[in-house]
């Protein structure tokens, strides 16, 4: 039997899916596990969205669509993106629709860096693990920049500046961020824009959590002069409308890039499922109350989990300003993140993720996705408190 290629063997993963499979396997054996491992809102998709998908299927709207997405969705998404980002001139022809925002991470890196040419990509660490795995896989050079807890998990801007080089081809930003829940302050975005504006590089601004925030609305780097032309914006339906399994997202691309992305779509997916695209139009054009209700509930859970984690010996948890992740510093326990992740799973029946699953600078932290009921959050906190004697004794 031949081996898989070295290239395929080198591809990293997203640990959340690995741990979720373990949790599901344990649950099938009857183990009682409270899960905080996966970044998936636990709400139904809005009723009008469900109905639109059913109507599309029943109404025969189930054929191939244009690779970049159906015109009506691209128009609706362009209008929505423009309205949400202070009236930016975003055009339907700049939008490409895909099966989630995730595919565009690889497509954008693939289309802007050359394999083995020393092209550098700067990205947040701890950060969404797919950034690093894809940069590596596509033969670009990963350049992690640490997120700093005392800065609300934004970059230290001097470190960021020092990492920029003539070889930097792309800078990835993610705000609100996974796994930290941090929001990049406007002043930081301005400084980053000032630093990169004159350079021959592109920014990828992952704004998938843009509607889930608890303080001021997150800003986009595209609002600063000259930045829209050199930024890819990623957004989608998974988090905002609780549509993770529907697989629907989009990117806004500079004109010179959108054709290459469309070509990657033709070669890989042909197009995104037609009825989920129809549902996406309903999501963008319909009532937004469900989003407000969800964010309100996330805020209650955030307050409960942050207070609870801060009361556990050895834990110190900053209050996240966005997304639905708590990212406590657990260095006070004296245990490694991985050891604590395992201990909580096996002895407390609580599943979370080691911060090290999000990169080297995530070590010393755990990620709790609080997409779980308040009742389960309270029960999980009580369980963690009970086993804390393991590291306080
Ligand atoms: C930061 C970030 N970007 C992108 C994605 C991908 O989202 P999707 O492909 O479901 O749209 C996720 C999902 O967890 C994420 O956390």
């Amino acid at each position: 039997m031949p081996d898989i290629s070295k290239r395929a063997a080198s591809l990293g993963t997203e640990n959340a899916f690995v741990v979720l499979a373990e949790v599901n396997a344990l649950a099938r054996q009857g183990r009682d596990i409270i899960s905080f491992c996966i970044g998936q809102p636990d709400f139904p998709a809005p009723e009008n969205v469900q109905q639109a998908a059913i109507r599309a299927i029943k109404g025969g709207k189930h054929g191939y669509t244009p690779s970049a997405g159906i015109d009506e969705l691209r128009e609706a998404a362009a209008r929505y993106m423009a309205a949400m980002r202070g009236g930016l001139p975003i055009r339907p022809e700049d939008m490409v629709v895909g099966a989630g925002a995730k595919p565009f991470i690889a497509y954008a890196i693939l289309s802007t860096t050359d394999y083995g040419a020393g092209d550098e990509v700067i990205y947040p660490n701890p950060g969404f693990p797919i950034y690093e795995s894809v940069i590596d896989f596509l033969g670009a050079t990963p350049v992690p920049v640490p997120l700093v807890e005392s800065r609300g998990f934004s970059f230290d801007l001097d470190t960021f500046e020092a990492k920029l080089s003539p070889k930097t081809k792309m800078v990835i930003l993610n705000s609100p961020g996974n796994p930290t829940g941090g929001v990049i302050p406007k002043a930081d975005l301005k400084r980053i824009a000032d630093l990169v504006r004159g350079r021959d590089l592109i920014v990828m601004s992952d704004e998938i959590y843009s509607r889930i925030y608890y303080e001021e609305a997150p800003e986009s780097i595209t609002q600063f002069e000259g930045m829209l032309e050199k930024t890819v914006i990623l957004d989608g339906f998974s988090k905002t409308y609780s549509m993770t399994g529907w697989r629907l997202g989009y990117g806004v691309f500079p004109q010179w890039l959108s054709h290459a992305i469309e070509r990657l779509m033709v070669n890989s997916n042909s197009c995104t499922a037609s009825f989920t695209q129809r549902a996406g139009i309903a999501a963008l054009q319909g009532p937004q109350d469900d989003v407000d209700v969800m964010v309100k509930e996330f805020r209650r859970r955030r307050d409960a989990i942050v207070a609870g984690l801060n009361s556990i010996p050895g834990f110190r948890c900053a209050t996240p300003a966005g997304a639905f992740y708590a990212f406590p510093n657990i260095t006070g326990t004296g245990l490694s993140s991985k050891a604590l992740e395992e201990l909580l799973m096996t002895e407390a029946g609580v599943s979370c993720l080691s911060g090290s699953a999000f990169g080297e600078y995530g070590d010393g932290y755990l990620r709790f996705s609080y997409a779980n009921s308040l009742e389960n959050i309270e029960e999980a906190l009580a369980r963690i408190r009970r086993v804390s004697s393991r590291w306080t004794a």
Side-chain angles (χ1 to χ4, degrees):
M1 195 88 88
D3 279 342
I4 61 164
S5 66
K6 288 195 190 68
R7 191 168 45 186
S10 75
L11 184 58
T13 189
E14 187 178 347
N15 211 35
F17 284 93
V18 178
V19 176
L20 182 66
E22 283 168 24
V23 168
N24 289 338
L26 288 169
R28 276 195 298 278
Q29 292 163 22
R31 280 286 310 276
D32 168 23
I33 309 275
I34 304 178
S35 175
F36 299 97
C37 68
I38 189 91
Q40 157 159 271
D42 54 323
F43 298 85
E47 178 61 27
N48 68 310
V49 171
Q50 299 182 30
Q51 292 306 330
I54 292 166
R55 265 199 315 279
I57 294 171
K58 298 251 183 207
K61 307 270 192 203
H62 45 62
Y64 289 129
T65 76
S67 291
I70 53 182
D71 289 347
E72 213 179 333
L73 176 56
R74 293 170 82 197
E75 281 157 18
R79 260 197 311 278
Y80 166 86
M81 290 295 274
M84 286 288 162
R85 285 158 185 81
L88 283 174
I90 294 173
R91 308 167 315 159
E93 54 269 41
D94 303 328
M95 318 281 315
V96 183
V97 175
K102 196 185 237 178
F104 295 119
I105 296 171
Y107 293 171
I109 297 170
L110 181 61
S111 308
T112 55
T113 60
D114 279 309
Y115 195 94
D119 292 341
E120 296 177 357
V121 180
I122 288 180
Y123 63 102
N125 186 320
F128 189 45
I130 299 307
Y131 305 145
E132 186 173 284
S133 69
V134 169
I135 296 165
D136 228 9
F137 183 64
L138 295 177
T141 306
V143 181
V145 177
L147 295 178
V148 183
E149 184 183 344
S150 61
R151 300 201 75 249
F153 293 109
S154 192
F155 292 140
D156 173 272
L157 292 170
D158 294 334
T159 310
F160 173 78
E161 183 174 4
K163 296 277 183 184
L164 283 168
S165 90
K167 292 185 167 266
T168 311
K169 279 289 178 82
M170 179 184 275
V171 169
I172 302 178
L173 303 176
N174 174 216
S175 175
N178 176 8
T180 67
V183 170
I184 307 177
K186 187 173 181 179
D188 286 16
L189 288 174
K190 182 176 182 312
R191 169 106 189 266
I192 294 169
D194 290 342
L195 287 169
V196 304
R197 185 175 291 108
R199 290 176 179 264
D200 194 14
L201 56 74
I202 186 155
V203 174
M204 181 158 71
S205 182
D206 183 343
E207 301 180 9
I208 191 91
Y209 297 100
S210 59
R211 294 282 295 280
I212 304 174
Y213 59 87
Y214 311 104
E215 319 294 334
E216 303 214 323
E219 307 274 352
S220 170
I221 194 162
T222 50
Q223 71 174 279
F224 297 104
E225 201 197 326
M227 291 309 297
L228 183 60
E229 299 87 283
K230 59 191 304 163
T231 302
V232 172
I233 312 175
L234 302 185
D235 203 341
F237 298 79
S238 288
K239 318 290 175 176
T240 303
Y241 299 103
S242 195
M243 291 170 68
T244 49
W246 296 61
R247 307 312 300 132
L248 190 64
Y250 48 85
V252 180
F253 296 91
Q255 203 180 349
W256 57 270
L257 187 54
S258 49
H259 184 67
I261 302 293
E262 201 176 329
R263 182 151 295 192
L264 283 165
M265 277 295 296
V266 184
N267 277 273
S268 52
N269 294 285
S270 292
C271 67
T272 307
S274 56
F275 40 92
T276 61
Q277 291 191 58
R278 301 264 161 201
I281 299 168
L284 295 175
Q285 294 182 338
Q288 301 294 301
D289 322 23
D290 286 25
V291 183
D292 300 337
V293 169
M294 178 181 75
V295 174
K296 209 163 152 201
E297 178 59 19
F298 275 146
R299 177 191 292 275
R300 284 182 352 122
R301 297 173 184 181
R302 175 194 75 148
D303 293 347
I305 198 165
V306 169
L309 289 172
N310 274 319
S311 75
I312 289 166
F315 281 51
R316 180 182 74 218
C317 188
T319 304
F324 41 84
Y325 305 114
F327 200 62
N329 180 318
I330 52 83
T331 47
T333 63
L335 295 170
S336 74
S337 303
K338 193 69 197 150
L340 193 51
E341 175 200 290
E342 280 164 17
L343 188 149
L344 294 183
M345 175 88 120
T346 52
E347 298 196 17
V350 172
S351 143
C352 59
L353 290 184
S354 162
S356 54
F358 300 91
E360 58 189 302
Y361 300 111
D363 208 11
Y365 296 86
L366 292 177
R367 189 193 79 169
F368 290 81
S369 163
Y370 47 87
N372 207 326
S373 68
L374 211 44
E375 198 187 353
N376 280 342
I377 288 171
E378 295 299 354
E379 168 62 18
L381 288 165
R383 291 184 186 186
I384 299 172
R385 219 167 278 124
R386 275 200 295 276
V387 298
S388 67
S389 56
R390 290 289 305 273
W391 58 88
T392 52

